[in-house]
Amino acid sequence: MDNKLFTPGPLNTKLSVKEAMLHDMGSRDKEFISVVKEIREQLLLLAGLTKEEGYDTVLMQGSGTFGVESVISTAIPADGHLLLITNGAYGDRIGEMAKVYGIKTTTLSYKENIVPPAQDVEEVLKTDSTVTHVAIIHCETTTGIFNDIERIGYLARKYNKIYIVDAMSSFGAVPIDFKKFDIDFLISSSNKCIEGVPGFSFIIFKVSSLESCKANARTVSLDLYSQWAYMRNSNSFRYTPPIQTILAFHKALAILKEEGGIPKRSERYQQNYHRLIEGTEALGLRTYLNKEDQGYIITSFLFPQHPNFDFTQFYQKLHEQGQVIYQGKLSDTDCFRIGNIGDLFVTDIDRLILAIDDVFKEMNIHF
Ligand SMILES: *Cc1c(COP(=O)(O)O)cnc(C)c1O
């Protein structure tokens, strides 16, 4: 039996997803190319978009970060000016990229438990007309907070900026109205809410916004424009694709469709989340975020205030029971995280709660 992963990805995947990988296939194989074509069509469909409306998708080798970096290094020209809104490690990572590429950046940085207020963003956009791009994380996986990509999107449109959204840990499970939020580039990856295995990211974008980015990229392998120009009609990759990962993803998309698409997956994750909160509250655990800011993807829990609590031991003992939680990543607060995405159901959450209860008893922790 595999461990249960209550992590932000890689996640538990269905056996049939793993089985889909049991093939050798050449990257120029007709069968493989038609799989890529279908994936690209289905991703657009999932996003509620069509080619006719001027949207397209590109798959990019590497983990999610590679996809984000391909957008940052391709979409923002050398003389661009990025307004970065960050309240966590993934937002900060975009800042790191911008720095490496020498992109002028204005950063609105918030504590990890604060949803960035739209009026701050408007203030910058109103006073500094040199800003060309706005970037934000949707679900900041550092804490699990949901940022208001709708209102920020409204402002990006109002001030005519290119809008970049890292929806890595939300796309596929949280409804995102692309056209309403006026997103230019959205990034997600194979091993999050679509429940595939790791190996590539995908970018969903407005064609008009990428078309103007030819020769912008300061990287060869992550050049999003070149990847798209090559893949656009051929549905093939410039460099070796992660064949088996793509086959698994194709299966994962079929499963998502069978489950009932984004609404149903969203519902299952919300059920997991509510059960998790009920169970952990009963055990005396407290969440880091205010309930109204907390998303249903992953939850940060404060370390229990008990002299016997030791995270390493807690983690290890849960691991021995096949339950894998995730360490925290906060700048100034001790937390651990529990994710409820992947092939997980309320029965799995119940088992985790029982295991935590067991481990607390074993460690002699009571509240
Ligand atoms: C997972 C994740 C990423 C990408 O992380 P990788 O380790 O490169 O897959 C980026 N942004 C967010 C918000 C994420 O949750």
Side-chain angles (χ1 to χ4, degrees):
M1 254 291 270
D2 280 343
N3 290 323
K4 287 290 176 189
L5 303 176
F6 299 91
T7 60
L11 313 161
N12 286 114
T13 55
K14 285 215 183 297
L15 181 61
S16 58
V17 168
K18 291 184 273 277
E19 280 170 349
M21 294 191 285
L22 301 176
H23 297 281
D24 294 319
M25 227 179 246
S27 54
R28 309 290 169 195
D29 222 308
K30 260 212 213 116
E31 205 183 334
F32 178 68
I33 285 174
S34 73
V35 165
V36 174
K37 182 168 185 278
E38 272 183 48
I39 287 176
R40 292 179 62 218
E41 287 165 357
Q42 287 171 20
L43 283 175
L44 271 193
L45 210 63
L46 202 57
L49 303 170
T50 62
K51 276 219 160 106
E52 292 66 41
E53 292 168 319
Y55 291 88
D56 204 355
T57 65
V58 162
L59 312 187
M60 181 61 81
Q61 298 96 323
S63 78
T65 304
F66 293 64
V68 175
E69 185 153 350
S70 79
V71 170
I72 298 300
S73 63
T74 304
I76 311 176
D79 60 354
H81 180 177
L82 172 66
L83 170 57
L84 171 65
I85 304 145
T86 175
N87 55 346
Y90 292 99
D92 294 347
R93 191 176 292 173
I94 292 181
E96 247 177 84
M97 291 170 188
K99 194 170 167 206
V100 165
Y101 293 104
I103 295 166
K104 181 177 179 197
T105 306
T106 298
T107 307
L108 285 173
S109 183
Y110 299 86
K111 199 166 176 306
E112 288 120 327
N113 59 356
I114 302 290
V115 176
Q119 61 262 32
D120 292 3
V121 176
E122 176 140 39
E123 201 50 46
V124 174
L125 294 178
K126 211 183 337 186
T127 49
D128 189 346
S129 64
T130 67
V131 170
T132 53
H133 293 68
V134 176
I136 190 165
I137 314 291
H138 183 204
C139 172
E140 180 45 92
T141 320
T142 310
T143 54
I145 202 167
F146 275 3
N147 290 330
D148 190 352
I149 59 168
E150 176 168 2
R151 291 190 66 198
I152 310 290
Y154 167 79
L155 292 172
R157 167 182 286 191
K158 181 174 170 188
Y159 290 91
N160 201 19
K161 310 302 176 195
I162 296 286
Y163 188 33
I164 300 167
V165 177
D166 172 347
M168 207 69 66
S169 62
S170 55
F171 183 79
V174 184
I176 296 173
D177 192 331
F178 250 82
K179 282 174 275 179
K180 191 169 167 208
F181 303 176
D182 204 25
I183 298 170
D184 289 283
F185 296 92
L186 177 142
I187 311 110
S188 188
S189 74
S190 56
N191 62 278
K192 301 240 162 142
C193 297
I194 312 280
E195 301 186 4
V197 304
F200 70 93
S201 57
F202 53 89
I203 296 99
I204 304 175
F205 57 91
K206 251 189 236 167
V207 168
S208 59
S209 302
L210 185 59
E211 262 173 345
S212 57
C213 298
K214 190 173 182 177
N216 265 3
R218 281 77 102 204
T219 143
V220 174
S221 58
L222 296 177
D223 182 344
L224 184 63
Y225 181 90
S226 297
Q227 185 91 341
W228 174 62
Y230 197 91
M231 182 177 287
R232 187 178 191 175
N233 298 314
S234 70
N235 288 295
S236 50
F237 287 76
R238 292 179 299 158
Y239 316 119
T240 304
I243 303 263
Q244 284 72 17
T245 297
I246 288 170
L247 296 176
F249 191 74
H250 188 240
K251 180 66 187 175
L253 279 172
I255 292 172
L256 174 57
K257 195 170 167 193
E258 268 166 46
E259 188 176 340
I262 293 175
K264 287 294 171 189
R265 183 146 300 176
S266 164
E267 206 175 293
R268 172 160 63 86
Y269 288 174
Q270 289 187 60
Q271 284 164 357
N272 289 348
Y273 166 71
H274 289 300
R275 185 62 65 92
L276 176 70
I277 293 298
E278 270 166 40
T280 48
E281 269 178 5
L283 291 175
L285 285 169
R286 286 176 46 229
T287 61
Y288 168 69
L289 295 174
N290 289 328
K291 285 280 176 327
E292 61 270 25
D293 302 328
Q294 174 69 58
Y296 51 84
I297 300 294
I298 188 165
T299 307
S300 299
F301 292 93
L302 297 168
F303 278 11
Q305 294 301 307
H306 191 282
N308 288 354
F309 183 79
D310 171 75
F311 178 73
T312 309
Q313 210 186 353
F314 178 62
Y315 176 90
Q316 201 47 47
K317 285 184 184 296
L318 282 175
H319 200 291
E320 282 161 20
Q321 297 202 33
Q323 314 283 321
V324 181
I325 62 167
Y326 210 60
Q327 71 198 48
K329 206 181 195 173
L330 295 186
S331 46
D332 68 350
T333 313
D334 285 331
C335 278
F336 60 85
R337 287 177 284 177
I338 298 178
N340 21 252
I341 62 177
D343 190 35
L344 293 173
F345 300 83
V346 284
T347 48
D348 297 305
I349 305 291
D350 285 342
R351 246 174 262 129
L352 172 67
I353 299 290
L354 286 176
I356 294 176
D357 192 29
D358 263 8
V359 169
F360 277 172
K361 284 194 177 113
E362 210 184 315
M363 291 172 77
N364 229 332
I365 295 173
H366 15 237
F367 306 100

Short mmCIF file of all heavy atoms in Angstrom, two decimals, residues 255-289:
data_model
loop_
_atom_site.label_atom_id
_atom_site.label_comp_id
_atom_site.label_asym_id
_atom_site.label_seq_id
_atom_site.Cartn_x
_atom_site.Cartn_y
_atom_site.Cartn_z
N ILE A 255 -10.49 11.04 -16.22
CA ILE A 255 -11.07 10.75 -14.91
C ILE A 255 -11.76 12.00 -14.33
O ILE A 255 -12.84 11.92 -13.76
CB ILE A 255 -9.99 10.21 -13.94
CG1 ILE A 255 -9.55 8.83 -14.42
CG2 ILE A 255 -10.50 10.16 -12.50
CD1 ILE A 255 -8.36 8.27 -13.68
N LEU A 256 -11.12 13.13 -14.52
CA LEU A 256 -11.71 14.39 -14.05
C LEU A 256 -13.07 14.62 -14.72
O LEU A 256 -14.04 15.03 -14.08
CB LEU A 256 -10.76 15.56 -14.32
CG LEU A 256 -11.27 16.97 -14.03
CD1 LEU A 256 -11.71 17.12 -12.59
CD2 LEU A 256 -10.19 18.01 -14.36
N LYS A 257 -13.12 14.33 -16.00
CA LYS A 257 -14.36 14.50 -16.74
C LYS A 257 -15.44 13.55 -16.21
O LYS A 257 -16.57 13.96 -15.98
CB LYS A 257 -14.09 14.23 -18.23
CG LYS A 257 -15.16 14.70 -19.16
CD LYS A 257 -14.70 14.61 -20.60
CE LYS A 257 -15.88 14.78 -21.55
NZ LYS A 257 -15.51 14.39 -22.91
N GLU A 258 -15.03 12.29 -16.00
CA GLU A 258 -15.97 11.30 -15.45
C GLU A 258 -16.49 11.72 -14.08
O GLU A 258 -17.65 11.49 -13.75
CB GLU A 258 -15.25 9.95 -15.24
CG GLU A 258 -15.33 8.99 -16.38
CD GLU A 258 -14.31 7.86 -16.20
OE1 GLU A 258 -14.23 7.31 -15.08
OE2 GLU A 258 -13.57 7.57 -17.16
N GLU A 259 -15.61 12.31 -13.30
CA GLU A 259 -16.00 12.71 -11.93
C GLU A 259 -17.05 13.84 -11.97
O GLU A 259 -17.80 14.02 -11.02
CB GLU A 259 -14.76 13.16 -11.14
CG GLU A 259 -15.03 13.42 -9.66
CD GLU A 259 -13.78 13.77 -8.85
OE1 GLU A 259 -12.65 13.48 -9.30
OE2 GLU A 259 -13.93 14.34 -7.75
N GLY A 260 -17.09 14.55 -13.08
CA GLY A 260 -18.06 15.64 -13.21
C GLY A 260 -17.38 17.00 -13.36
O GLY A 260 -17.98 18.03 -13.07
N GLY A 261 -16.12 16.96 -13.76
CA GLY A 261 -15.40 18.20 -14.06
C GLY A 261 -15.06 18.99 -12.82
O GLY A 261 -15.08 18.48 -11.70
N ILE A 262 -14.77 20.27 -13.04
CA ILE A 262 -14.33 21.15 -11.94
C ILE A 262 -15.38 21.24 -10.81
O ILE A 262 -15.00 21.16 -9.64
CB ILE A 262 -13.94 22.54 -12.49
CG1 ILE A 262 -12.69 22.41 -13.38
CG2 ILE A 262 -13.68 23.52 -11.36
CD1 ILE A 262 -12.27 23.69 -14.08
N PRO A 263 -16.68 21.36 -11.12
CA PRO A 263 -17.64 21.49 -10.02
C PRO A 263 -17.60 20.32 -9.04
O PRO A 263 -17.64 20.50 -7.83
CB PRO A 263 -19.00 21.56 -10.73
CG PRO A 263 -18.68 22.04 -12.11
CD PRO A 263 -17.32 21.49 -12.44
N LYS A 264 -17.49 19.11 -9.60
CA LYS A 264 -17.52 17.93 -8.73
C LYS A 264 -16.20 17.75 -7.97
O LYS A 264 -16.19 17.34 -6.81
CB LYS A 264 -17.83 16.66 -9.55
CG LYS A 264 -19.27 16.59 -9.96
CD LYS A 264 -20.20 16.42 -8.74
CE LYS A 264 -21.65 16.57 -9.16
NZ LYS A 264 -22.57 16.63 -8.04
N ARG A 265 -15.11 18.05 -8.66
CA ARG A 265 -13.82 17.92 -7.96
C ARG A 265 -13.74 18.95 -6.84
O ARG A 265 -13.28 18.66 -5.74
CB ARG A 265 -12.65 18.07 -8.93
CG ARG A 265 -11.34 17.87 -8.23
CD ARG A 265 -10.28 17.22 -9.07
NE ARG A 265 -10.67 15.89 -9.54
CZ ARG A 265 -9.93 15.15 -10.34
NH1 ARG A 265 -8.79 15.61 -10.80
NH2 ARG A 265 -10.36 13.95 -10.72
N SER A 266 -14.23 20.12 -7.14
CA SER A 266 -14.27 21.19 -6.15
C SER A 266 -15.09 20.73 -4.94
O SER A 266 -14.70 20.93 -3.78
CB SER A 266 -14.90 22.42 -6.79
OG SER A 266 -15.30 23.34 -5.83
N GLU A 267 -16.20 20.08 -5.22
CA GLU A 267 -17.09 19.61 -4.15
C GLU A 267 -16.38 18.56 -3.28
O GLU A 267 -16.43 18.62 -2.05
CB GLU A 267 -18.31 18.99 -4.82
CG GLU A 267 -19.57 18.99 -4.00
CD GLU A 267 -20.72 18.46 -4.85
OE1 GLU A 267 -21.11 19.15 -5.83
OE2 GLU A 267 -21.22 17.35 -4.56
N ARG A 268 -15.69 17.62 -3.94
CA ARG A 268 -15.00 16.57 -3.17
C ARG A 268 -13.91 17.19 -2.29
O ARG A 268 -13.79 16.84 -1.12
CB ARG A 268 -14.38 15.53 -4.13
CG ARG A 268 -13.49 14.51 -3.43
CD ARG A 268 -13.29 13.25 -4.25
NE ARG A 268 -12.60 13.47 -5.52
CZ ARG A 268 -11.28 13.50 -5.67
NH1 ARG A 268 -10.50 13.32 -4.62
NH2 ARG A 268 -10.74 13.70 -6.86
N TYR A 269 -13.15 18.12 -2.84
CA TYR A 269 -12.09 18.73 -2.04
C TYR A 269 -12.68 19.54 -0.89
O TYR A 269 -12.11 19.58 0.20
CB TYR A 269 -11.21 19.64 -2.91
CG TYR A 269 -10.29 18.92 -3.88
CD1 TYR A 269 -9.54 19.65 -4.81
CD2 TYR A 269 -10.14 17.54 -3.88
CE1 TYR A 269 -8.67 19.02 -5.70
CE2 TYR A 269 -9.28 16.91 -4.77
CZ TYR A 269 -8.56 17.66 -5.69
OH TYR A 269 -7.71 17.04 -6.57
N GLN A 270 -13.82 20.16 -1.15
CA GLN A 270 -14.45 20.93 -0.06
C GLN A 270 -14.96 20.01 1.03
O GLN A 270 -14.88 20.35 2.22
CB GLN A 270 -15.59 21.80 -0.62
CG GLN A 270 -15.06 22.95 -1.46
CD GLN A 270 -16.14 23.92 -1.87
OE1 GLN A 270 -16.81 24.52 -1.03
NE2 GLN A 270 -16.33 24.08 -3.17
N GLN A 271 -15.48 18.86 0.62
CA GLN A 271 -15.92 17.88 1.63
C GLN A 271 -14.71 17.44 2.46
O GLN A 271 -14.79 17.36 3.69
CB GLN A 271 -16.56 16.66 0.96
CG GLN A 271 -17.98 16.94 0.47
CD GLN A 271 -18.47 15.90 -0.53
OE1 GLN A 271 -17.72 14.98 -0.91
NE2 GLN A 271 -19.71 16.03 -0.96
N ASN A 272 -13.61 17.15 1.78
CA ASN A 272 -12.38 16.76 2.50
C ASN A 272 -11.98 17.86 3.48
O ASN A 272 -11.66 17.58 4.64
CB ASN A 272 -11.23 16.55 1.52
CG ASN A 272 -11.39 15.29 0.67
OD1 ASN A 272 -12.24 14.45 0.96
ND2 ASN A 272 -10.58 15.17 -0.36
N TYR A 273 -12.00 19.08 2.99
CA TYR A 273 -11.58 20.21 3.82
C TYR A 273 -12.47 20.36 5.06
O TYR A 273 -11.97 20.50 6.18
CB TYR A 273 -11.59 21.50 2.97
CG TYR A 273 -11.51 22.76 3.80
CD1 TYR A 273 -10.33 23.10 4.45
CD2 TYR A 273 -12.62 23.60 3.94
CE1 TYR A 273 -10.26 24.26 5.23
CE2 TYR A 273 -12.55 24.74 4.72
CZ TYR A 273 -11.37 25.06 5.36
OH TYR A 273 -11.31 26.18 6.14
N HIS A 274 -13.78 20.30 4.85
CA HIS A 274 -14.69 20.48 5.99
C HIS A 274 -14.52 19.37 7.02
O HIS A 274 -14.53 19.61 8.22
CB HIS A 274 -16.14 20.60 5.51
CG HIS A 274 -16.40 21.91 4.80
ND1 HIS A 274 -16.23 23.12 5.43
CD2 HIS A 274 -16.76 22.19 3.53
CE1 HIS A 274 -16.50 24.09 4.56
NE2 HIS A 274 -16.80 23.55 3.40
N ARG A 275 -14.33 18.15 6.52
CA ARG A 275 -14.12 17.04 7.44
C ARG A 275 -12.81 17.23 8.22
O ARG A 275 -12.71 16.96 9.41
CB ARG A 275 -14.11 15.71 6.66
CG ARG A 275 -14.02 14.48 7.55
CD ARG A 275 -15.22 14.34 8.48
NE ARG A 275 -16.44 14.11 7.76
CZ ARG A 275 -16.94 12.90 7.48
NH1 ARG A 275 -16.32 11.82 7.90
NH2 ARG A 275 -18.06 12.77 6.81
N LEU A 276 -11.81 17.72 7.51
CA LEU A 276 -10.51 17.96 8.14
C LEU A 276 -10.62 18.99 9.26
O LEU A 276 -10.07 18.81 10.35
CB LEU A 276 -9.50 18.44 7.09
CG LEU A 276 -8.11 18.81 7.60
CD1 LEU A 276 -7.33 17.58 8.04
CD2 LEU A 276 -7.32 19.56 6.51
N ILE A 277 -11.36 20.06 8.97
CA ILE A 277 -11.50 21.12 9.96
C ILE A 277 -12.28 20.63 11.19
O ILE A 277 -11.88 20.84 12.32
CB ILE A 277 -12.18 22.37 9.33
CG1 ILE A 277 -11.25 22.98 8.28
CG2 ILE A 277 -12.56 23.41 10.39
CD1 ILE A 277 -9.91 23.48 8.80
N GLU A 278 -13.38 19.91 10.93
CA GLU A 278 -14.16 19.34 12.04
C GLU A 278 -13.28 18.47 12.92
O GLU A 278 -13.25 18.61 14.15
CB GLU A 278 -15.25 18.41 11.49
CG GLU A 278 -16.59 19.04 11.18
CD GLU A 278 -17.41 18.06 10.33
OE1 GLU A 278 -17.37 16.82 10.61
OE2 GLU A 278 -18.06 18.54 9.39
N GLY A 279 -12.57 17.57 12.26
CA GLY A 279 -11.77 16.58 12.99
C GLY A 279 -10.62 17.22 13.76
O GLY A 279 -10.38 16.86 14.92
N THR A 280 -9.93 18.15 13.13
CA THR A 280 -8.77 18.75 13.79
C THR A 280 -9.22 19.70 14.91
O THR A 280 -8.55 19.79 15.94
CB THR A 280 -7.89 19.53 12.79
OG1 THR A 280 -8.71 20.38 12.00
CG2 THR A 280 -7.10 18.57 11.90
N GLU A 281 -10.37 20.36 14.71
CA GLU A 281 -10.89 21.22 15.79
C GLU A 281 -11.22 20.37 17.00
O GLU A 281 -10.92 20.76 18.14
CB GLU A 281 -12.12 21.99 15.31
CG GLU A 281 -11.77 23.34 14.73
CD GLU A 281 -12.97 24.12 14.21
OE1 GLU A 281 -14.13 23.64 14.37
OE2 GLU A 281 -12.74 25.19 13.62
N ALA A 282 -11.81 19.21 16.75
CA ALA A 282 -12.17 18.32 17.86
C ALA A 282 -10.91 17.86 18.60
O ALA A 282 -10.95 17.60 19.80
CB ALA A 282 -12.95 17.12 17.33
N LEU A 283 -9.80 17.77 17.89
CA LEU A 283 -8.54 17.37 18.53
C LEU A 283 -7.84 18.56 19.21
O LEU A 283 -6.82 18.38 19.86
CB LEU A 283 -7.58 16.78 17.49
CG LEU A 283 -7.94 15.43 16.88
CD1 LEU A 283 -6.95 15.05 15.79
CD2 LEU A 283 -7.98 14.35 17.95
N GLY A 284 -8.37 19.75 19.00
CA GLY A 284 -7.79 20.92 19.65
C GLY A 284 -6.78 21.68 18.79
O GLY A 284 -6.10 22.58 19.28
N LEU A 285 -6.69 21.32 17.51
CA LEU A 285 -5.74 22.03 16.62
C LEU A 285 -6.38 23.33 16.11
O LEU A 285 -7.59 23.41 15.93
CB LEU A 285 -5.35 21.15 15.44
CG LEU A 285 -4.37 20.03 15.76
CD1 LEU A 285 -4.26 19.07 14.59
CD2 LEU A 285 -2.99 20.61 16.10
N ARG A 286 -5.53 24.31 15.88
CA ARG A 286 -6.02 25.59 15.37
C ARG A 286 -5.36 25.94 14.04
O ARG A 286 -4.18 25.68 13.83
CB ARG A 286 -5.75 26.69 16.39
CG ARG A 286 -6.71 26.62 17.60
CD ARG A 286 -6.38 27.65 18.66
NE ARG A 286 -6.13 28.96 18.09
CZ ARG A 286 -5.07 29.71 18.40
NH1 ARG A 286 -4.15 29.27 19.24
NH2 ARG A 286 -4.92 30.90 17.86
N THR A 287 -6.15 26.56 13.16
CA THR A 287 -5.60 26.92 11.85
C THR A 287 -4.88 28.26 11.94
O THR A 287 -5.16 29.08 12.80
CB THR A 287 -6.71 27.03 10.78
OG1 THR A 287 -7.63 28.05 11.17
CG2 THR A 287 -7.45 25.72 10.62
N TYR A 288 -3.93 28.44 11.04
CA TYR A 288 -3.16 29.69 11.00
C TYR A 288 -3.98 30.83 10.43
O TYR A 288 -3.95 31.95 10.91
CB TYR A 288 -1.89 29.45 10.17
CG TYR A 288 -1.13 30.70 9.80
CD1 TYR A 288 -0.46 31.44 10.76
CD2 TYR A 288 -1.09 31.13 8.47
CE1 TYR A 288 0.24 32.59 10.42
CE2 TYR A 288 -0.38 32.27 8.12
CZ TYR A 288 0.28 33.00 9.09
OH TYR A 288 0.96 34.13 8.75
N LEU A 289 -4.75 30.54 9.38
CA LEU A 289 -5.51 31.60 8.71
C LEU A 289 -6.88 31.79 9.32
O LEU A 289 -7.43 30.86 9.93
CB LEU A 289 -5.72 31.23 7.23
CG LEU A 289 -4.49 31.14 6.33
CD1 LEU A 289 -4.92 30.60 4.96
CD2 LEU A 289 -3.83 32.50 6.18
#
